[in-house]
Amino acid sequence: YSSFLVIYRGSFESAGEFLKEPPHKDLEIVMRGIPKGFRDAWEGTVHAIKSPTFYIFGSSFGGSPALMLSGRKDVKKVVAFAPVADWRVDSEEESMDFTYDIIKYGYTDGYRFSDKNWDRLAAGKIGNPASNQSKIDGKKILIFHGKREKVIPMQTSTDFAKATGAILVPINTDEHLGLRYA
């Protein structure tokens, strides 16, 4: 088994512009490259997996791209922890305006994106699972979400699961189920 932690274009050490393309497209680039071969960073050996099957894990922001990939034939399962299932719904604790300020000014060049592309994300025009339900295969999706969390409203996962047939497991917590749970 191999696992990959993908850095989105235009974020941290990567090149490009963040949100120019929907984030799940960055994951698809990596997925397409795996059969072509990749170098193990620790060992230096080259590997290629000719017919890979993918299990996608995503949390919070990364939950959206994970959900978006569920319709692919080579994706076996998706596990999402408190995913943003609908970018159009503001949260009680972190509105899109607040999140914009934190990402744009708090991380400076950590994320490089235009206001236009941020607005596309916030309006649900790119990478929004709730706007793309016809491309989602809910039978492959398992969602864990804190019942009382305030970062991403539980209701968005509830509505998404009901609309797509995904399995939702409510967790009795007010914690945001981020990457540390994946």
Side-chain angles (χ1 to χ4, degrees):
Y1 297 97
S2 298
S3 60
F4 301 86
L5 181 61
V6 177
I7 297 173
Y8 303 106
R9 280 179 282 192
S11 67
F12 298 96
E13 295 91 8
S14 68
E17 183 182 337
F18 185 57
L19 301 175
K20 186 174 182 180
E21 298 291 330
H24 70 277
K25 297 290 184 184
D26 293 343
L27 298 175
E28 288 181 325
I29 289 170
V30 173
M31 294 165 77
R32 283 194 307 269
I34 289 172
K36 297 174 185 174
F38 56 93
R39 182 175 303 280
D40 180 311
W42 294 106
E43 303 289 327
T45 55
V46 176
H47 306 274
I49 302 170
K50 294 302 174 200
S51 298
T53 299
F54 297 100
Y55 294 81
I56 309 291
F57 290 79
S59 65
S60 197
F61 177 96
S64 282
L67 296 173
M68 294 291 293
L69 294 172
S70 65
R72 289 178 54 113
K73 290 179 183 174
D74 56 355
V75 171
K76 182 84 169 170
K77 296 287 180 187
V78 170
V79 180
F81 297 86
V84 179
D86 193 343
W87 285 104
R88 300 167 296 187
V89 178
D90 259 343
S91 84
E92 187 177 325
E93 193 166 294
E94 292 183 13
S95 69
M96 287 301 281
D97 290 341
F98 173 82
T99 303
Y100 170 90
D101 287 344
I102 294 298
I103 292 173
K104 188 80 167 185
Y105 305 114
Y107 288 95
T108 315
D109 283 335
Y111 295 90
R112 297 170 305 282
F113 59 91
S114 68
D115 290 350
K116 177 184 112 181
N117 288 335
W118 181 264
D119 291 344
R120 290 173 49 221
L121 180 71
K125 294 181 179 174
I126 63 166
N128 193 40
S131 301
N132 290 281
Q133 292 178 12
S134 64
K135 298 176 184 174
I136 304 287
D137 185 348
K139 294 182 296 255
K140 296 180 182 180
I141 300 173
L142 175 62
I143 299 172
F144 295 94
H145 207 120
K147 289 180 181 180
R148 298 177 310 281
E149 90 148 79
K150 293 177 176 67
V151 175
I152 299 171
M154 167 83 174
Q155 192 62 48
T156 59
S157 285
T158 302
D159 294 345
F160 181 80
K162 183 181 272 189
T164 62
I167 295 172
L168 173 62
V169 178
I171 305 295
N172 192 20
T173 185
D174 59 358
E175 281 189 72
H176 177 54
L177 302 179
L179 188 57
R180 70 176 184 231
Y181 291 94

